[in-house]
Amino acid sequence: MEKSLELKLLELLSNNSRLEASELSVMLGVPEEEIRSAIGRLEKEKIICGYNTLIDWDKVHDDDVTAMVELRVTPQGGEGYDKIAEKISSFPQVDTLFLMSGSYDFLVTVRGRSIKEVSLFVSGKLAQIEEVQSTTTHFTLSKYKELGVLFKSKKTNERMLVSL
């Protein structure tokens, strides 16, 4: 499959991972077997790393808490940030981990059942990692958009129009 078609395939799957090979075949004008083969190869090469469902957890559990934690670290030895990232990502509370440029080194998304649970995790686990110099925790208050999906729709004005 040529690169431009492969990119279109990836874009379609990133917007809707539930599309069937038969649907993708029609959308891209490529034989279904070629679509299946391309997806298999992309999975094997870890270009497609998984298939996730985006859920608005606020509608399921109104008490869940998400926090963004900035970490400043001191990398040790020749392994640099990779060894620290391995430690941090091993915790089940860690949802996302990014190495960043700027005033801090890592951005960690942490999920928990309460502010206290997340706070105890940050102070008791993340801050206790030898290479961690400091943490700054930001608790999310409301989620409007994630992975390109809007969560809060624009509310219509329900007031009655009155004219004189």
Side-chain angles (χ1 to χ4, degrees):
M1 177 176 273
E2 69 179 67
K3 279 288 187 202
S4 65
L5 273 175
E6 190 174 278
L7 288 173
K8 288 178 186 174
L9 172 64
L10 290 170
E11 286 175 16
L12 288 169
L13 287 173
S14 73
N15 288 323
N16 183 356
S17 63
R18 296 186 69 184
L19 289 171
E20 299 284 336
S22 58
E23 296 170 300
L24 292 164
S25 171
V26 171
M27 295 168 90
L28 295 172
V30 174
E32 190 174 331
E33 190 51 46
E34 192 173 336
I35 296 291
R36 291 184 196 285
S37 174
I39 290 172
R41 184 180 49 74
L42 292 167
E43 289 171 341
K44 185 177 179 182
E45 293 176 11
K46 297 293 185 196
I47 293 170
I48 296 176
C49 301
Y51 299 90
N52 292 311
T53 303
L54 186 57
I55 298 169
D56 187 350
W57 287 108
D58 291 342
K59 292 181 179 177
V60 179
H61 302 124
D62 60 355
D63 58 348
D64 280 356
V65 175
T66 302
M68 307 295 182
V69 183
E70 300 171 4
L71 296 179
R72 297 180 97 200
V73 301
T74 305
Q76 304 291 321
E79 297 176 3
Y81 295 104
D82 292 341
K83 184 177 179 185
I84 302 167
E86 191 176 311
K87 285 181 192 177
I88 295 167
S89 63
S90 69
F91 294 110
Q93 296 88 335
V94 173
D95 189 53
T96 308
L97 174 63
F98 295 110
L99 179 62
M100 305 295 291
S101 64
S103 59
Y104 55 93
D105 302 301
F106 286 106
L107 179 63
V108 185
T109 305
V110 176
R111 295 191 194 277
R113 300 293 297 163
S114 67
I115 289 177
K116 184 175 183 177
E117 181 181 303
V118 171
S119 298
L120 289 172
F121 170 72
V122 171
S123 63
K125 299 291 184 185
L126 290 181
Q128 298 303 315
I129 296 172
E130 183 180 342
E131 297 87 355
V132 172
Q133 295 175 356
S134 66
T135 66
T136 303
T137 304
H138 307 274
F139 290 96
T140 60
L141 303 177
S142 189
K143 177 172 47 175
Y144 295 97
K145 187 175 183 178
E146 184 176 1
L147 299 173
V149 177
L150 290 172
F151 281 79
K152 305 262 183 184
S153 61
K154 192 173 185 178
K155 291 185 179 178
T156 58
N157 189 348
E158 295 177 8
R159 295 186 293 170
M160 189 181 335
L161 179 63
V162 177
S163 65
L164 299 172

